[in-house]
Amino acid sequence: MSRAQRLLDLIQILRRHRFPVTGTQLAEELGISLRTLYRDIATLQEQGASIAGEPGLGYVLKPGFMLPPLMFSEEEIEALVLGSRWVADRGDDRLAVAARNALHKIAAVLPADLRESLDTTTLLAGPDQTKADIDTGLPLLRSAIRNERKIFLSYKDGKGQLSQRMIWPFALGYFEHVRVLIAWCELRQEIRHFRSDRIEAFEVYDLRYPKRRQALLKEWRAIEGITTDRI
């Protein structure tokens, strides 16, 4: 294993833990000595990683650390490009622009050889020929999710029955030809799924719902049997 790959693996291990991890545990997981681990942690700290802790107490990575360009492998770059191209083609206008801007920012900080890999990748996202104009309200829905705001929803189900309800939106699923809003429904007193193309109208209330969206997401994952290691 190259040292660059080892440093990347160390960062990824620290990212998985919210609480301090002992040097012994880190060294064992990486298959290296404690002395090598201490050198690697010092190297990452010099590169700007906000790693708190010391020998004997454990280490924790504080939020917000940006991986340096050397941390991207060619396959990771291909994944970033393919994902950005998919979003640019299938997302609403604001999300498509954000995907392109993010890719430009990544390209700007990559060294020349990796930037060439980004520019010449042969992984393409094919056009969605059946894309419908259903996404005009998604930016507002995403904003409501981020700010944990209640939404008053007018929704038509698969049988054409129209209903109105107050919901607590906490996630938005992007599928090939449909978007699904995931929310706690006050009417049904349970988590429900709402297809965006069946939303007749909605109003975002300046009223924060009582639960945190992370807690609702955790509850939904448990119901659906989705493990936390899936992105």
Side-chain angles (χ1 to χ4, degrees):
M1 180 190 299
S2 67
R3 186 162 189 260
Q5 182 62 50
R6 193 175 71 238
L7 293 175
L8 174 59
D9 289 347
L10 176 54
I11 285 292
Q12 299 302 343
I13 292 171
L14 288 169
R15 281 187 182 279
R16 295 200 305 265
H17 295 275
R18 295 184 179 179
F19 301 100
V21 189
T22 65
T24 300
Q25 182 180 343
L26 292 171
E28 288 178 354
E29 190 163 349
L30 290 167
I32 59 177
S33 68
L34 269 175
R35 179 178 295 181
T36 300
L37 174 75
Y38 296 150
R39 286 202 303 264
D40 287 349
I41 287 178
T43 297
L44 289 171
Q45 289 172 331
E46 290 172 359
Q47 292 180 354
S50 184
I51 300 175
E54 58 185 75
L57 296 178
Y59 298 92
V60 63
L61 179 66
K62 294 181 179 179
F65 174 57
M66 301 294 291
L67 291 177
L70 65 88
M71 293 296 191
F72 289 109
S73 68
E74 289 190 357
E75 285 192 340
E76 289 168 339
I77 289 175
E78 287 181 336
L80 288 169
V81 173
L82 182 60
S84 297
R85 287 174 175 173
W86 193 95
V87 173
D89 182 73
R90 288 164 172 77
D92 56 80
D93 290 343
R94 289 178 62 177
L95 204 58
V97 170
R100 295 188 187 99
N101 288 343
L103 201 56
H104 290 320
K105 289 179 180 179
I106 292 171
V109 299
L110 288 176
D113 57 336
L114 293 182
R115 186 164 57 249
E116 182 178 357
S117 296
L118 184 147
D119 293 335
T120 60
T121 180
T122 55
L123 300 185
L124 307 173
D128 183 4
Q129 302 294 343
T130 62
K131 182 178 180 181
D133 185 20
I134 61 173
D135 292 343
T136 55
L138 293 189
L140 191 55
L141 292 177
R142 291 198 301 272
S143 176
I145 291 171
R146 285 193 299 269
N147 295 305
E148 300 178 338
R149 292 298 186 264
K150 289 188 176 186
I151 288 179
F152 186 73
L153 188 71
S154 294
Y155 186 75
K156 184 177 292 185
D157 64 19
K159 297 179 180 179
Q161 296 295 318
L162 185 66
S163 63
Q164 294 180 323
R165 62 192 74 197
M166 189 73 77
I167 63 172
W168 310 348
F170 62 87
L172 191 60
Y174 283 75
F175 298 88
E176 187 68 17
H177 304 305
V178 69
R179 318 293 176 246
V180 177
L181 181 66
I182 308 170
W184 173 268
C185 176
E186 291 187 358
L187 177 65
R188 302 301 182 189
Q189 287 295 294
E190 62 182 2
I191 294 174
R192 302 296 292 263
H193 301 81
F194 304 96
R195 287 178 46 155
S196 63
D197 57 338
R198 293 178 182 168
I199 296 176
E200 294 291 305
F202 69 90
E203 181 181 356
V204 179
Y205 280 38
D206 189 17
L207 181 63
R208 187 170 184 169
Y209 49 74
K211 252 186 177 180
R212 299 307 305 270
R213 68 173 185 272
Q214 292 91 341
L216 290 167
L217 185 60
K218 183 178 181 181
E219 181 180 340
W220 173 77
R221 281 175 169 163
I223 294 171
E224 299 293 328
I226 299 174
T227 56
T228 55
D229 59 346
R230 288 175 56 183
I231 296 177

